[in-house]
Amino acid sequence: MTDFRLTALAQSLPDTVPFVGPETEERARSRLFDARLGANENVFGPSPIAVRVMAETQHWMYGDPESFELREALADHLGIRPDMIVVGEGIDGLLGYLVRIMVGPGDAVVTSDGAYPTFNYHVAGYGGVLHKVPYRHDDHEDLAALFKKAAEVKAKLVYLANPDNPMGTAHDGTDIVAALAHLPKDTLLVLDEAYLECAPPQVALPLPMDDPRVIRMRTFSKAYGLAGARVGYALGAPELIRAFEKVRNHFGMNRAAQAGALAALDDQTWLRSVQARIVASRNRIADIARKNGLKPIPSAANFVAIDCGGGPEYAKTVLHEMIARGVFIRMPFAEPQNRCIRISCGTPAQLDILAEVLPVAIRASEMG
Amino acid sequence: MTDFRLTALAQSLPDTVPFVGPETEERARSRLFDARLGANENVFGPSPIAVRVMAETQHWMYGDPESFELREALADHLGIRPDMIVVGEGIDGLLGYLVRIMVGPGDAVVTSDGAYPTFNYHVAGYGGVLHKVPYRHDDHEDLAALFKKAAEVKAKLVYLANPDNPMGTAHDGTDIVAALAHLPKDTLLVLDEAYLECAPPQVALPLPMDDPRVIRMRTFSKAYGLAGARVGYALGAPELIRAFEKVRNHFGMNRAAQAGALAALDDQTWLRSVQARIVASRNRIADIARKNGLKPIPSAANFVAIDCGGGPEYAKTVLHEMIARGVFIRMPFAEPQNRCIRISCGTPAQLDILAEVLPVAIRASEMG
């Protein structure tokens, strides 16, 4: 490899992926999954209007490098100015850009142990040093501990997902505001709000979008049902948002995706119907879990983490038994959250499969 | 800005874009262009089968992070192994990843003065030092000078577009092979083949795809007509290709774009029909230029650079007069190529508009 004169940083990085996709697992088992409930996708799908708009897109044209219309529409929707918004290739892409402009070799970054691995991937990829704080015993990310650690290590960034992934727990926005008083002024809070539209209103952060202490990451991948399109956006102070122009892939946005996101945003009726179906689906997943003697963690996202009651090895066995029976699910990476499996919301038909397969998988796990 | 503790490198970067999109210009003039002939898009569009496949995509699912099927199909098509292929968000995205793994602050990189600005943007963005070599007097990139300069500055990368953008000139592959004998073994040739499918067969490089001296960048944006989809791929030695796994945005690919590219690759009949239309369109653009007393540069790409005969200021005036009359074109950035305007291939109807507007723009330029 050194023949290629990679940078010292690149040489030090593993060539592994943050996590494997369901297609990879399907290829490994030479069979499609009967229920795809592992990637926190939105099985209810995007607005039919968005689907039509994407189908009618002239794919021969590059997308608008400014995502002008989408930013204008988001600004209208949120009651803010477009210069507080940058659109990018999903939250994953935007996290990469943010880490790139903020974090150099040796810079400190704080996150929770077991939180979103793709953020960690970017921090490691730019040579940053990750400091991890445990979740609270109630499976919430620990605001006080995160911000205290950030002060201690003089972190450039502190990451918080609200609602949280993989546990689905959420803080009220007012609690985050209160905790922010203890965050050093020169540490930026990266607030990943991918699941915000799945959560009750009090989860939103009641601060102006241009508050310089926070950058919020949002997406069309979850409640809006457009994971395949790759459209995320970040909201923050104009000076910070403008810095993304220094490094982002200006012509990186898919044109149909830009149009689809615009149409999806415009169809709030569809969004509300999806939100209702997510709530119903969460309730049924929790119900199925309880019927099987497992403990669902209350969720504000589009998935439910379920404590299998037997520790990490047992949860892993249940996961494998589910996957072997055609139900794609995932589980948290780190202790003590990895006592759980994580099941994304599904259609009634998919949850029928879940209800059927889960007890069988549990019996198989108990025997194994 | 320093309030945000950007890295020193990020602070030093301008927040400007490599070049503005046609939509930005349309907004500035509050009117759509009558002919969009500036971005080297392919007005003949993608295979209708690809369009249908994209329309039928389930957008709620993430794309396959391995782009497995597309890589398998490309491998079949090229007669190589999938581990010599990485798929990414257009050549722009792949150039960014390549520069990231290879180029750190102070590392030398060589390109031609006036070649693709987005490559330069990435090199600057990672702190690399660009060394620029002039084009030859015949408007070809200067192979001998490029590789000599690479040896002189111990460059990590040397960039060559074949066919060239913005001039449309091309080298025979055998000439590049001969020149490679003079390239240091530890300099990697970045061969941008975005326009290869528009060129005659002898332009292809007759070397194995896994030759460790070269990485080739190809795209579905040009001859395949899928610029809006953002699908590029790089071909090279497996060890080098594998290094992209260290940094790329694994879930960054648009799912419909993956499916569309696969279908487009499969429809070689459509590609051939587009190639024929590109040749006819190039010929007609050259003809229109000559009829107006201008000198077209022979092109192997999907555009024609036209020497307006009056130097850079004159070419700029012609460009502005064209744009003011609803014809979007671009021009080279650097001397002496900026004596030219650059016109992308168009439909017969668009070239009718070109034939009508060009003489008017020239008259206006001569009066101005």
Side-chain angles (χ1 to χ4, degrees):
Chain A
M1 182 57 74
T2 50
D3 291 340
F4 285 112
R5 290 174 74 193
L6 301 191
T7 65
L9 175 57
Q11 281 191 44
S12 75
L13 297 171
D15 50 11
T16 51
V17 303
F19 41 85
V20 297
E23 285 82 4
T24 308
E25 299 193 56
E26 285 176 333
R27 287 188 290 270
R29 58 198 291 275
S30 307
R31 235 184 83 200
L32 298 182
F33 286 116
D34 301 316
R36 183 168 158 135
L37 302 175
N40 294 349
E41 294 157 330
N42 174 352
V43 297
F44 309 114
S47 155
I49 303 170
V51 173
R52 201 179 62 224
V53 163
M54 287 188 282
E56 290 167 357
T57 295
Q58 294 293 314
H59 300 287
W60 64 268
M61 289 191 257
Y62 286 103
D64 172 16
E66 300 182 33
S67 295
F68 182 86
E69 291 180 19
L70 180 55
R71 283 168 51 241
E72 289 275 317
L74 284 167
D76 272 1
H77 181 70
L78 297 167
I80 62 173
R81 294 200 320 269
D83 64 0
M84 301 177 196
I85 308 170
V86 58
V87 170
E89 304 91 337
I91 289 181
D92 284 0
L94 289 164
L95 286 174
Y97 295 137
L98 177 68
V99 170
R100 179 172 166 196
I101 57 175
M102 299 282 292
V103 177
D107 285 342
V109 174
V110 172
T111 187
S112 300
D113 189 16
Y116 193 47
T118 303
F119 177 72
N120 300 358
Y121 169 77
H122 290 309
V123 172
Y126 288 101
V129 177
L130 270 169
H131 299 268
K132 295 180 181 174
V133 164
Y135 278 60
R136 291 192 328 213
H137 292 300
D138 63 357
D139 293 307
H140 284 63
E141 293 194 58
D142 190 335
L143 292 177
L146 282 166
F147 293 179
K148 192 176 159 216
K149 175 63 78 176
E152 188 184 310
V153 300
K154 302 190 197 308
K156 281 195 162 178
L157 303 175
V158 56
Y159 175 90
L160 173 72
N162 195 46
D164 173 66
N165 176 21
M167 301 310 282
T169 52
H171 293 282
D172 283 0
T174 48
D175 291 338
I176 299 174
V177 174
L180 271 172
H182 303 285
L183 189 70
K185 276 202 168 47
D186 54 0
T187 299
L188 182 70
L189 171 61
V190 184
L191 187 61
D192 184 339
E193 298 185 324
Y195 300 98
L196 185 67
E197 294 90 352
C198 308
Q202 69 271 19
V203 171
L205 185 70
L207 284 176
M209 288 294 176
D210 58 354
D211 189 303
R213 295 173 294 177
V214 187
I215 186 165
R216 301 177 217 209
M217 301 281 182
R218 295 188 185 173
T219 185
F220 286 91
S221 297
K222 304 300 180 185
Y224 285 103
L226 285 169
R230 311 281 60 225
V231 187
Y233 55 103
L235 306 166
E239 313 90 276
L240 178 60
I241 293 302
R242 189 152 179 82
F244 282 78
E245 301 302 307
K246 295 166 174 275
V247 300
R248 72 185 181 89
N249 188 7
H250 290 270
F251 284 84
M253 290 300 296
N254 179 293
R255 187 178 185 91
Q258 291 174 318
L262 188 63
L265 182 68
D266 197 47
D267 192 353
Q268 292 290 313
T269 307
W270 178 264
L271 177 67
R272 278 189 295 274
S273 79
V274 169
Q275 288 168 321
R277 282 185 275 180
I278 287 172
V279 171
S281 188
R282 278 195 316 236
N283 289 342
R284 180 147 180 236
I285 293 169
D287 195 48
I288 292 167
R290 277 186 295 258
K291 277 193 180 129
N292 284 280
L294 312 183
K295 194 188 141 217
I297 316 290
S299 170
N302 76 340
F303 57 85
V304 181
I306 299 171
D307 184 345
C308 294
E313 281 310 310
Y314 182 69
K316 204 168 178 178
T317 306
V318 174
L319 178 104
H320 286 308
E321 296 293 345
M322 297 286 286
I323 286 177
R325 286 168 178 79
V327 178
F328 168 59
I329 61 172
R330 284 200 178 122
M331 65 181 287
F333 296 88
E335 294 211 42
Q337 297 90 320
N338 62 1
R339 71 190 191 281
C340 298
I341 55 175
R342 194 197 67 183
I343 301 177
S344 306
C345 289
T347 61
Q350 291 168 324
L351 298 193
D352 288 347
I353 296 173
L354 175 70
E356 195 183 307
V357 169
L358 184 59
V360 184
I362 289 173
R363 270 198 303 277
S365 304
E366 285 166 351
M367 292 192 302
Chain B
M1 182 60 72
T2 47
D3 291 338
F4 285 113
R5 290 174 72 195
L6 301 192
T7 65
L9 175 58
Q11 281 191 44
S12 75
L13 297 171
D15 50 11
T16 52
V17 303
F19 40 86
V20 297
E23 285 83 4
T24 308
E25 299 193 55
E26 286 177 333
R27 287 188 290 269
R29 58 198 293 275
S30 306
R31 236 184 82 201
L32 298 183
F33 286 117
D34 301 316
R36 180 168 161 135
L37 301 174
N40 294 349
E41 294 158 330
N42 174 352
V43 297
F44 309 115
S47 155
I49 303 169
V51 172
R52 199 180 63 224
V53 164
M54 287 188 282
E56 289 167 358
T57 296
Q58 294 293 315
H59 301 286
W60 64 269
M61 288 191 258
Y62 285 104
D64 172 16
E66 300 182 34
S67 295
F68 183 86
E69 291 180 18
L70 180 55
R71 281 168 53 242
E72 289 275 318
L74 284 166
D76 272 359
H77 181 70
L78 298 166
I80 61 173
R81 293 201 318 270
D83 64 0
M84 301 178 195
I85 307 171
V86 57
V87 169
E89 305 90 335
I91 289 182
D92 284 1
L94 289 165
L95 286 174
Y97 295 135
L98 177 68
V99 171
R100 179 172 165 195
I101 58 175
M102 299 282 293
V103 177
D107 285 343
V109 175
V110 172
T111 187
S112 300
D113 188 17
Y116 193 48
T118 303
F119 177 72
N120 301 357
Y121 169 77
H122 290 308
V123 172
Y126 288 101
V129 177
L130 270 168
H131 299 269
K132 295 181 183 174
V133 164
Y135 278 60
R136 290 191 331 212
H137 291 300
D138 64 356
D139 293 310
H140 283 62
E141 293 193 57
D142 191 334
L143 291 177
L146 281 166
F147 293 179
K148 192 175 159 214
K149 175 63 80 178
E152 189 185 310
V153 301
K154 303 190 197 309
K156 282 196 161 177
L157 303 175
V158 56
Y159 176 90
L160 173 73
N162 195 46
D164 174 67
N165 176 23
M167 301 310 281
T169 53
H171 293 282
D172 283 0
T174 50
D175 291 339
I176 299 175
V177 174
L180 272 173
H182 304 284
L183 188 70
K185 277 202 167 49
D186 56 359
T187 299
L188 182 69
L189 171 61
V190 184
L191 187 61
D192 184 340
E193 300 186 322
Y195 300 98
L196 185 66
E197 294 90 353
C198 308
Q202 69 271 18
V203 171
L205 185 70
L207 284 178
M209 288 296 176
D210 57 354
D211 190 304
R213 295 172 295 176
V214 187
I215 187 166
R216 304 176 215 207
M217 300 281 183
R218 295 188 183 172
T219 184
F220 286 90
S221 297
K222 304 300 181 184
Y224 286 102
L226 284 169
R230 311 283 57 225
V231 187
Y233 55 104
L235 305 166
E239 313 89 276
L240 178 60
I241 294 302
R242 188 151 178 81
F244 282 78
E245 301 302 307
K246 294 165 175 275
V247 300
R248 71 183 182 89
N249 188 6
H250 291 270
F251 284 84
M253 290 300 296
N254 179 294
R255 186 177 185 93
Q258 290 174 319
L262 188 63
L265 182 68
D266 197 47
D267 192 353
Q268 292 290 313
T269 307
W270 179 264
L271 176 67
R272 279 190 293 274
S273 79
V274 169
Q275 287 167 322
R277 282 184 276 181
I278 286 171
V279 170
S281 186
R282 277 195 318 234
N283 289 342
R284 182 151 178 233
I285 293 169
D287 196 48
I288 293 168
R290 278 187 294 260
K291 276 193 180 128
N292 284 279
L294 311 182
K295 194 188 142 220
I297 315 290
S299 170
N302 75 341
F303 58 84
V304 181
I306 298 171
D307 184 345
C308 293
E313 281 310 310
Y314 182 70
K316 203 168 179 177
T317 306
V318 174
L319 178 104
H320 286 309
E321 296 292 346
M322 297 284 286
I323 286 176
R325 285 168 180 79
V327 178
F328 168 58
I329 60 172
R330 283 199 178 124
M331 64 181 288
F333 295 89
E335 293 212 44
Q337 298 90 320
N338 63 0
R339 69 192 192 281
C340 298
I341 55 175
R342 195 196 66 184
I343 301 178
S344 306
C345 289
T347 61
Q350 291 169 324
L351 297 193
D352 289 346
I353 295 173
L354 175 69
E356 195 184 305
V357 168
L358 184 60
V360 184
I362 289 174
R363 272 198 303 280
S365 303
E366 284 165 352
M367 291 193 301

